[in-house]
Amino acid sequence: MLYSEFLRLKYQFKTKAGLVLLLFYMLFSSILLVRAIPRMVALYNTVGLTYQIDNFFFLWFGYYRFISISDFRLLFFATRIFPFIFLPMLLSWFGGDTFSSDYTNECDFLLYLRVSRKKYFIEKLLMTFIGSFVIVLIILVFQLLLSVLGCLYLKQKGILIPDFERDDLLILLSSGIRIPLYYSSLAALSCSITLFIHVPAAAYMLPVVIAVGSSVLTAELTNNVPMDLAFYDSGLMAPNMEIYWYTVIMYLTIVVFLTLVKICIEKDALKTP
């Protein structure tokens, strides 16, 4: 079941189209960033300030999530809207809509004949989690390569950029785990909710609603945003990484709880004459 679900995701058109769209978006945003840096340096120089680049990976999506410069509205919009809306919504293409699609196409009953309902629910959720993790990791690696090329280009333009240091490996490893883990947990949570909500649009809207809603709530209560904390430089005044881990654990706990409830409901339904 797990392997067949992997093959379904691998060969379906939505997966290929979504991955191409994500990679194109990373290329587009990377070009915007590279073009914006010289303009930022010039902007700072006009007011007697120095634009400080403090890391070799400052162009990497995993390091700076967005550029909060009002003069660069397109860049701000492109990098700000991506983690909150664009990426969570696209994760539904990579298995997040699996239950709603089976229900709409009336395939769930046929799958019940091949595997137990317990295995059906668990392995589909597991594949959603793994698939989302891998997809986010792929786009991070792809944009990392673009950012390195961008840094080398900017160095040729005379922009002062720090050389790669050994400590930068820790940034790569930690961000390379935290960011995919957050989004894969978000995708799994949205998918588990669709076990009870069979409206097709819900599979695409739930990731955005959960991401934005949880961010607003935690920001009000703790002055931290879990999505910001997933990235290396969140820009928060007093970042608290415990909020990030609490959020991810809460997401996964709810996934397990909803799955167990659904399995129990299905067992009771089978016992009913």
Side-chain angles (χ1 to χ4, degrees):
M1 175 65 186
L2 192 61
Y3 181 67
S4 62
E5 185 67 12
F6 167 75
L7 292 178
R8 185 181 73 85
L9 294 175
K10 179 181 178 180
Y11 290 109
Q12 70 176 0
F13 174 77
K14 287 193 304 182
T15 303
K16 297 176 181 178
L19 186 57
V20 170
L21 190 59
L22 284 171
L23 296 180
F24 176 79
Y25 196 99
M26 288 290 96
L27 177 61
F28 172 72
S29 61
S30 298
I31 293 174
L32 285 179
L33 283 167
V34 171
R35 294 184 61 184
I37 296 303
R39 294 168 57 198
M40 289 182 185
V41 173
L43 180 63
Y44 273 65
N45 289 337
T46 58
V47 294
L49 299 175
T50 301
Y51 183 74
Q52 183 69 33
I53 296 175
D54 58 355
N55 190 278
F56 183 75
F57 295 116
F58 80 107
L59 284 177
W60 184 42
F61 182 74
Y63 185 72
Y64 281 114
R65 184 167 59 77
F66 67 95
I67 304 298
S68 55
I69 304 294
S70 59
D71 279 5
F72 304 96
R73 293 183 179 87
L74 178 59
L75 180 58
F76 174 78
F77 178 81
T79 54
R80 184 64 168 172
I81 206 74
F82 177 79
F84 269 106
I85 297 179
F86 189 66
L87 182 55
M89 188 178 294
L90 273 183
L91 286 177
S92 299
W93 288 21
F94 304 106
D97 62 342
T98 181
F99 291 124
S100 58
S101 296
D102 285 351
Y103 181 82
T104 302
N105 297 323
E106 299 182 350
C107 296
D108 49 349
F109 176 74
L110 296 176
L111 291 170
Y112 288 163
L113 299 177
R114 296 177 55 191
V115 297
S116 66
R117 301 191 182 200
K118 178 180 179 181
K119 189 175 182 180
Y120 167 76
F121 296 132
I122 292 176
E123 293 195 359
K124 272 187 170 287
L125 282 169
L126 185 60
M127 194 63 234
T128 299
F129 179 86
I130 296 174
S132 299
F133 190 99
V134 171
I135 290 296
V136 176
L137 185 60
I138 287 174
I139 64 173
L140 285 176
V141 172
F142 176 74
Q143 206 270 328
L144 173 63
L145 298 176
L146 294 176
S147 69
V148 171
L149 293 176
C151 284
L152 297 177
Y153 171 79
L154 290 175
K155 277 191 172 185
Q156 295 298 321
K157 291 291 184 178
I159 305 297
L160 297 178
I161 298 175
D163 294 326
F164 176 80
E165 299 179 359
R166 185 176 300 176
D167 292 341
D168 294 333
L169 287 175
L170 181 60
I171 297 174
L172 290 176
L173 292 174
S174 60
S175 297
I177 293 175
R178 289 201 311 265
I179 299 173
L181 180 60
Y182 174 82
Y183 284 106
S184 58
S185 302
L186 176 64
L189 175 58
S190 304
C191 189
S192 66
I193 295 176
T194 61
L195 287 170
F196 304 91
I197 302 176
H198 300 302
V199 179
Y204 302 98
M205 297 307 300
L206 277 171
V208 178
V209 172
I210 295 172
V212 175
S214 62
S215 296
V216 172
L217 180 61
T218 53
E220 288 292 332
L221 296 176
T222 66
N223 293 323
N224 282 269
V225 177
M227 189 179 294
D228 284 340
L229 294 170
F231 295 81
Y232 175 73
D233 192 346
S234 65
L236 299 175
M237 296 299 295
N240 184 354
M241 283 307 302
E242 291 183 357
I243 302 300
Y244 164 82
W245 292 110
Y246 289 153
T247 302
V248 170
I249 292 173
M250 181 185 67
Y251 283 175
L252 296 178
T253 301
I254 296 175
V255 170
V256 173
F257 174 76
L258 291 178
T259 305
L260 292 176
V261 170
K262 183 64 176 179
I263 292 172
C264 292
I265 291 175
E266 291 293 324
K267 286 183 179 179
D268 292 339
L270 290 174
K271 293 178 182 178
T272 303

